[in-house]
Each structure stands twice: as structure tokens, then as C-alpha cells.
Amino acid sequence: MLLLRPDVSQPARCGIDLVAAAAHARETGGAIYLLLDGESIPVSVDGVPVITPHGVHRVWLSAVWRTASAARDVRAWWRHVEASVTREWRRELRRHIGDERLPFELRQRLRSTAEASIRRVRTETNAFPRRMLRAPSAVSLSPDFVEEARSQLTALGITDGRPLVTFESRTRPDIAAAVMDFLVSEGYAVARIGPSTEGVRCCDGVVDLTTRAPRPLSLEMFLVSASAFIMCESTDVQQLAYLVNTPSLTINARDPFVAYPVRTNGLFALSAAIDLESAQPITIGDMLTQPYFRDLHKQQVRGRRRGSHGYRDNTVEELTEAIKEMRAGIADGWASESETQSRFRQRVVEAGAALAPISAHVAEWGPDDGFIGDGRLVRFQADRVS
């Protein structure tokens, strides 16, 4: 029995929990007991029994959930404290390793102790269940919900005449307008979601849902599921695509770990990073190094609102090229990965293994036992890195 209490107020987290639970239940041959508060989830899990308990059974399972959650939080807190102490201990040891006044044998023992501490921290990584999400989701939308959501979209002006692309981005208004124009010229209807951005011009064929009342989880879920592919900037929408098995193109990504697509049908494009102190560009290769994430770690520890890194959004030309690659991937079944894209994936895996002990961010979002994802960096950026 797998007990699950998804938070429907967070669509992405809810979707990831469902997909991971379904994968785990399939592996173990178990069932999912679903505890829901408020809004129901209009999905079914193929091949896995899903039971919604009621009455005394629900009260008892809710108590079990609260107890298990409290114990999990305590374990997570202790792991965090232990990892922080271990990292500081390793830094202190490394400070003495280079002290030539100490005997050579002592410095060698200190080095061995420091390396052993790395291995202990490394075991507490991979909070994001990448391997669990690797296979296509067994979750599907209920037929009644699909019919209701389709009628809502028709009323908003989205019909079945053209393939749909869901577009979510906080990029500059001129870039967003140009990208949507290109999608419409390629024969797509576009549904724009996300935060409202002043000055974005929407042409015929684009339905702007950013200025409407907050959309329920169910409608946003259907938009993503009904799309030929999605273009998104937030991790939430990218992860919602995992729930409904929709190809995704993540744009303006700011690090290669969070945005790296788990599924084969995912692409991502990195923003251009800038060192604000020197005004020099940070290459994509440099975004996989210790200094880059060490600075991010300092920002988190010190609570600085602004770091030493700035970012430039992907240009219209870059996004147009990424859309063309997305269409080609859908057409050929994602069989045309380049050698440079494959090499970049390996570099991300290697960098994640090296950085996880010194960066909590990489420890959470990095490779899951050597697996970062079957997706790929857009080809023009992978070629640039190579």
C-alpha cells in the first residue's frame, strides 16, 4: 500500500508525486491510497489500483500520514545538519592539507578523511526522482473531464482546427510576440499562460489566458495534455508535461541541472549568463564548474537578494531554431540526437557527481544514481559547448 496526499494547490508537485507513485506501485505490485483535500484530481492511473478511503478508514490513514510526514521532516532536518557539518569539516581538513609544516603522513591521512566525508555526503543526494519519471506516465485524464475542458477551451477560442502549443514565459514582450507569431505562421494555435506581461501583442491564432481569473489545476492540466508540445520557462509547467506525456521545450533555463529534461521528448535552452562584477559572459561549460555553484551557495547562505550572476533571455533566432528542432524531434521519433548533445549529457552527469557534495542545489536536482535525463540541450548550444 502506497499512501499519497498530493497538494493540488501546486500542480507540478502534485503531478510529480502522482507519476512517481504510479511508477513505484507498478514496480512493487501495490495500490495507491489517495488522500485528497478539497479539489479532486481528474486523472486515472492505468494498471494501478487507486483507492480513495472514506470514513474511519480515512481518519486512520490521515493519522498515519501525519506521523510519517513528521518523521520524514525530522530525518530531512538531520540529514541537512549532518551534511552541513560534514562540508564544513571537509573545508577545514582541506585547509590543513596544504600546510607543509605538517608531516606528510598526517596530511595524507587528512586527505583520506576529507575524501571519505565526500562519499558520505554524496549518499544523501537526488531528491528529485529522475529515474522514477523516466518511463512514460501511466496517468491519464478522465473522459468526463476531457469533454468539459474541451468545451471551455472552445468557448475561449481554441478549436481543434490547428495543433495547439501552450506557451509560458516571462521573457521580453517583443521576443514573446515574435515567437508566437512564428508559431502561428507554422500552423499552430497558441494558448499563452503564466504571469501577465505588459506590452505583449497577441496576433490572430493566440489566446491570452494570462489576464483571466486564476485557472484551476484541471484546465491547465488539459491545456498541456492537448498540446502538440509546450514551450515553458518554469519548472512547474515542465513537470506538468511529465504527468500527461507531452513534449516540452524549456527556455531561458539558468542552470543545466534543474531544467535538464527527464524524458526523451524534452529539449531545453540555457540563458546567456553574465558575471555582473566583471561584465564578462559565463560560458555554458563554466556553468558546470565549482566556482559557479559555489557563488550560488554563498547567495543562499547569506540570503543575498542579488547575486553576482545576471542572465540574458534567449533571442528570437535561438528560440526559432529550438522550435524547429522540437518539430524535427516529434517527426522522427527523437532519434536524431547529435554527438555533441550526447557528450554534453555526460558532462552534466560528471559535473553533478562532483558538485553534489559541495552544493545542496546540485544535490537536490543533479543526477539520480548517474541518470540526469534522456532529453537534451538544444543542438546549437551543444555544438557551441563542444
Side-chain angles (χ1 to χ4, degrees):
M1 182 178 73
L2 184 65
L3 193 59
L4 179 63
R5 192 172 202 164
D7 184 358
V8 296
S9 66
Q10 301 182 34
R13 185 68 258 176
C14 173
I16 292 299
D17 288 344
L18 276 171
V19 175
H24 185 70
R26 285 200 308 272
E27 289 179 359
T28 60
I32 298 175
Y33 277 66
L34 200 60
L35 299 173
L36 292 175
D37 297 319
E39 184 181 354
S40 62
I41 303 176
V43 299
S44 59
V45 182
D46 304 330
V48 176
V50 179
I51 302 168
T52 304
H54 299 283
V56 177
H57 197 194
R58 175 183 169 80
V59 173
W60 176 72
L61 288 176
S62 296
V64 172
W65 174 268
R66 287 193 295 271
T67 303
S69 296
R72 181 184 57 194
D73 291 342
V74 170
R75 289 195 299 270
W77 171 79
W78 176 250
R79 285 197 301 268
H80 175 72
V81 170
E82 187 179 32
S84 298
V85 171
T86 301
R87 290 188 183 103
E88 292 302 323
W89 174 240
R90 174 176 174 268
R91 291 190 186 99
E92 185 65 18
L93 291 176
R94 287 174 62 85
R95 188 170 68 86
H96 291 289
I97 289 171
D99 189 348
E100 295 184 354
R101 294 173 299 177
L102 297 176
F104 178 76
E105 293 78 8
L106 176 58
R107 286 187 286 149
Q108 287 296 97
R109 286 199 298 271
L110 292 177
R111 186 185 303 277
S112 299
T113 303
E115 293 303 316
S117 68
I118 293 178
R119 290 191 290 271
R120 284 197 298 272
V121 173
R122 190 173 293 157
T123 61
E124 302 296 346
T125 61
N126 313 320
F128 186 56
R130 291 184 178 275
R131 286 192 177 275
M132 282 266 187
L133 304 175
R134 188 176 193 178
S137 170
V139 177
S140 59
L141 303 180
S142 62
D144 292 341
F145 160 72
V146 170
E147 187 62 31
E148 179 184 354
R150 195 180 300 278
S151 64
Q152 294 181 39
L153 296 183
T154 301
L156 294 173
I158 301 175
T159 64
D160 293 331
R162 289 181 290 179
L164 176 67
V165 172
T166 299
F167 181 80
E168 182 256 359
S169 176
R170 301 172 180 83
T171 192
R172 283 170 25 200
D174 58 324
I175 295 178
V179 170
M180 289 188 291
D181 286 347
F182 176 75
L183 288 168
V184 171
S185 70
E186 293 293 303
Y188 292 101
V190 179
R192 183 169 174 263
I193 64 174
S196 178
T197 304
E198 296 294 333
V200 176
R201 173 184 54 81
C202 293
C203 63
D204 292 339
V206 177
V207 176
D208 190 353
L209 303 179
T210 62
T211 58
R212 299 180 182 273
R215 299 173 305 281
L217 162 65
S218 54
L219 182 58
E220 192 159 298
M221 189 183 299
F222 177 75
L223 272 174
V224 175
S225 70
S227 297
F229 66 91
I230 66 168
M231 290 185 67
C232 62
E233 191 166 331
S234 69
T235 306
D236 286 353
V237 178
Q238 181 198 43
Q239 293 180 1
L240 196 58
Y242 296 147
L243 176 65
V244 291
N245 300 315
T246 298
S248 64
L249 168 58
T250 304
I251 62 176
N252 297 323
R254 295 193 172 185
D255 82 69
F257 295 105
V258 174
Y260 204 99
V262 175
R263 304 271 176 82
T264 308
N265 60 359
L267 291 173
F268 78 112
L270 288 162
S271 297
I274 306 294
D275 186 323
L276 297 179
E277 295 179 356
S278 65
Q280 295 298 313
I282 299 172
T283 67
I284 294 176
D286 289 338
M287 295 172 75
L288 294 171
T289 61
Q290 179 179 349
Y292 182 81
F293 284 94
R294 183 175 56 205
D295 184 75
L296 291 182
H297 174 73
K298 289 179 180 178
Q299 294 171 31
Q300 295 167 0
V301 171
R302 298 174 184 173
R304 290 161 56 184
R305 293 185 180 180
R306 292 190 61 188
S308 62
H309 300 157
Y311 300 89
R312 292 199 188 104
D313 289 349
N314 297 128
T315 65
V316 174
E317 292 75 19
E318 289 176 335
L319 295 180
T320 300
E321 187 67 26
I323 291 171
K324 292 178 180 178
E325 184 176 351
M326 170 62 68
R327 296 187 65 185
I330 294 173
D332 67 13
W334 304 98
S336 58
E337 179 177 80
S338 70
E339 183 180 348
T340 57
Q341 289 171 315
S342 179
R343 283 205 302 267
F344 181 77
R345 180 189 295 111
Q346 185 58 35
R347 287 185 64 178
V348 175
V349 171
E350 293 170 355
L355 293 170
I358 60 174
S359 171
H361 177 83
V362 179
E364 179 177 3
W365 293 100
D368 183 358
D369 191 23
F371 174 74
I372 188 64
D374 292 320
R376 60 193 77 162
L377 180 68
V378 288
R379 181 171 298 179
F380 68 87
Q381 286 189 338
D383 292 344
R384 190 182 305 164
V385 176
S386 181

